[in-house]
Amino acid sequence: MPPLGLALPEEKVTGLATVLGEQKSNGVTPKPTATPEQQAPEDAQEPQPICLDVFVQQPRVVSVATSSVHISWSLPEYAEGTPASDDLPELKPIRYEVDWAEVAGPQHALKESDWKPLPSGDVEVCEVKVAGLRPGRTYAVRVRPVLDTSAVDGDAWELAAQPSAPALFTTAPTVPSAVKPPLLVSRERKALKVKWNPPDEPGGAAMVISYQLFMSPPPQEWPSPPDAQGFVEVYRGDERSFRAQRLLPGTRYAFWALAWNSVGASDVGAVAAYTTQATVPAQPEPPRPVSSTQASITLAWMPPADNGSPVTAYQLERDDGSGSLEAAAMPPGPAAFHLAYAGPNTCHTVSPLRPGLHYRFRVRAENGEGLSFWSECCLATTAASAPGPPVGLAIGAATRESATVSWGAPEETGGAVPHGHEVALQAVSRAAVECMGPEWYTIFSGTERACSINSLRPGCTYRVRVRSANAAGWGSWALPLELATAPDVPEPPGPPSIAESGTAALTVQWHPPLHNGG
């Protein structure tokens, strides 16, 4: 094999005649010219033009790179054996056809179909750079001139352009191209098997390729520390597959391969990542309360580790509300929880709930492998609401000017203990309205559940109502009851006054009493 970047010497080209095909060293196969004995009688056919072979000398290899070659050549000339004559046509090249072919080996005989034209087309100067070659390969290149025959006497001469003798050269070898991402062969809970294809460009013909495989994170108990990017070398050799063991289930691992030949190492290959066989998700953290109202609680939770299979849904459960912190702290029974939500979200508002109660919540995750364990419970409380109306409102013994009112605690406390009560009074009878007006007036506010009402008018009717309050505010009023005071003698009439007076008589008048006593 010739040194890189050099054309083969003439004797080597001659020695490779079996490789390149049967061609003369100057690349010319002259056509025979007609002799007087072979010429037909004048009355049979006209004289034929003389065929002259034209060629260029073997191209010269100027420089060779890994994927290109720079060649040059001389102007075209007549083939050896062309008769000397001052009448020979002047050779005027228009352009040059440059063909190239890859020589697979010493025993490879090039056929005409092996030759490929220059991808960029014909050239008009005596040099060209042939690109798109592969490194570390042997090629042959030839040149054929295209002549201007417009001024040639076609009756006397026929110019036949022949290809030059091939010039052989070998491109410089290089490192292999980068290895494509490794492919997954099999997946287990604690092992992954990967394979990789050889590089598209090995860097030269018949190059011996070896490989290195790197992965991250390292297998468990790996003896060497990872590099700055977290990778360790797990394989070196000429095989193109590897089974990584001592891995964690449901864990994602990244792989890339490096190819080597006698020149050096390829660029870093593309990374592929695969996950060991998945398991059910990890146990979630307890949900946390975000907000609450009197009838709802909003909770949120963090997605747990999916262990190799994406979490697709969550289940949120609640109990019935204990009503006290002490009861909520007790361990839940087997039937204490009820499904409150099932779906893909990590936030949910649970409703309807009762106000002022302490609820326990727990969550679990689901993926393609199954359900996780339930999380620990969290405790959340709905906001308290105002209490319901007091029950058992009753009117005690009523006198002419007073009455006793009593009531019971509200049945619905709203989640907070009532801490006060309020009693209101409204006049119904005309005499009572004339005294206090038609509006409701608060006549009692305190913690007791009974009170006395004084300064009433005898024989009058009133309405009485009561309500209770807790930390959330005042509740609704109980239905009002009518209260009637005992009747009494009429109130004194107004003072008399003289309406008329005469010599023997007086007319006296007075206003009736303001209240007849009922």
Side-chain angles (χ1 to χ4, degrees):
M1 191 64 63
L4 298 181
L6 296 178
L8 290 178
E10 184 69 23
E11 59 273 16
K12 292 294 185 180
V13 175
T14 305
L16 286 173
T18 58
V19 177
L20 302 177
E22 293 298 329
Q23 298 179 1
K24 291 187 178 181
S25 61
N26 58 8
V28 179
T29 306
K31 294 182 180 179
T33 57
T35 63
E37 291 78 11
Q38 295 172 328
Q39 294 180 355
E42 293 183 0
D43 56 354
Q45 65 178 15
E46 296 180 358
Q48 296 295 316
I50 299 175
C51 183
L52 301 176
D53 286 344
V54 179
F55 76 108
V56 297
Q57 294 290 341
Q58 183 186 47
R60 183 176 66 89
V61 177
V62 178
S63 63
V64 179
T66 56
S67 60
S68 64
V69 63
H70 181 194
I71 63 172
S72 65
W73 56 90
S74 60
L75 292 172
E77 57 187 78
Y78 287 108
E80 182 181 356
T82 301
S85 173
D86 295 336
D87 296 333
L88 290 177
E90 183 182 358
L91 300 180
K92 297 180 179 180
I94 300 175
R95 61 183 184 278
Y96 298 91
E97 297 174 349
V98 180
D99 299 332
W100 63 276
E102 182 175 350
V103 180
Q107 303 305 317
H108 180 204
L110 286 176
K111 301 184 294 292
E112 189 62 30
S113 59
D114 294 332
W115 293 96
K116 303 177 182 64
L118 195 67
S120 59
D122 298 343
V123 295
E124 298 179 358
V125 295
C126 294
E127 63 176 348
V128 71
K129 182 178 181 180
V130 181
L133 307 179
R134 300 183 66 184
R137 268 76 170 183
T138 299
Y139 292 92
V141 63
R142 68 183 185 182
V143 179
R144 184 200 311 265
V146 178
L147 302 174
D148 181 4
T149 59
S150 60
V152 176
D153 184 1
D155 295 332
W157 309 103
E158 179 182 348
L159 302 183
Q162 303 295 333
S164 68
L168 293 177
F169 62 92
T170 301
T171 53
T174 186
V175 297
S177 60
V179 180
K180 292 182 178 179
L183 304 173
L184 180 65
V185 176
S186 63
R187 182 206 320 264
E188 303 172 38
R189 293 184 68 246
K190 295 185 178 182
L192 290 171
K193 185 176 182 180
V194 296
K195 68 177 182 179
W196 54 96
N197 293 321
D200 294 339
E201 177 52 66
M207 280 286 190
V208 177
I209 304 295
S210 61
Y211 301 94
Q212 286 177 277
L213 182 68
F214 299 83
M215 70 177 294
S216 174
Q220 291 181 290
E221 302 177 1
W222 194 254
S224 58
D227 60 17
Q229 286 73 39
F231 285 87
V232 294
E233 179 185 344
V234 293
Y235 172 75
R236 179 179 296 199
D238 55 4
E239 298 292 333
R240 289 189 287 109
S241 65
F242 179 73
R243 184 172 181 267
Q245 304 182 76
R246 301 197 304 275
L247 308 183
L248 296 174
T251 302
R252 188 175 179 84
Y253 291 89
F255 298 87
W256 63 271
L258 199 66
W260 287 80
N261 63 12
S262 58
V263 179
S266 68
D267 291 336
V268 174
V271 177
Y274 304 104
T275 303
T276 49
Q277 186 174 334
T279 60
V280 298
Q283 182 183 28
E285 294 293 323
R288 57 182 179 85
V290 176
S291 62
S292 64
T293 66
Q294 297 173 356
S296 67
I297 295 176
T298 300
L299 301 108
W301 54 91
M302 294 296 295
D306 61 15
N307 284 342
S309 178
V311 174
T312 56
Y314 298 92
Q315 293 180 4
L316 178 69
E317 288 190 341
R318 70 167 179 88
D319 67 2
D320 289 327
S322 62
S324 68
L325 288 172
E326 293 76 12
M330 298 294 293
F337 283 88
H338 310 281
L339 184 66
Y341 169 74
N345 299 328
T346 56
C347 183
H348 182 70
T349 299
V350 181
S351 65
L353 302 176
R354 298 174 61 192
L357 294 185
H358 307 292
Y359 291 88
R360 287 174 295 181
F361 298 90
R362 64 183 185 179
V363 68
R364 65 179 176 179
E366 181 179 7
N367 65 7
E369 301 298 319
L371 293 166
S372 71
F373 289 108
W374 286 106
S375 70
E376 297 294 330
C377 293
C378 81
L379 187 66
T381 305
T382 51
S385 64
V391 298
L393 177 62
I395 307 297
T399 66
R400 292 175 298 177
E401 296 182 347
S402 65
T404 301
V405 181
S406 62
W407 60 91
E411 292 181 347
E412 183 60 57
T413 65
V417 178
H419 57 69
H421 310 279
E422 186 176 82
V423 179
L425 182 70
Q426 182 188 42
V428 177
S429 300
R430 179 178 60 81
V433 172
E434 290 177 350
C435 181
M436 61 180 291
E439 294 83 9
W440 286 94
Y441 289 95
T442 301
I443 58 173
F444 171 79
S445 181
T447 58
E448 295 81 6
R449 293 202 300 270
C451 71
S452 295
I453 306 174
N454 300 309
S455 301
L456 304 178
R457 300 192 79 177
C460 287
T461 302
Y462 298 86
R463 288 192 185 96
V464 178
R465 66 183 183 181
V466 64
R467 65 178 179 176
S468 301
N470 63 11
W474 288 102
S476 56
W477 293 97
L479 292 176
L481 291 181
E482 285 197 350
L483 182 158
T485 56
D488 196 1
V489 297
E491 293 181 353
S497 61
I498 298 174
E500 294 180 0
S501 63
T503 56
L506 293 173
T507 300
V508 180
Q509 64 181 10
W510 60 89
H511 292 286
L514 295 177
H515 179 43
N516 63 10

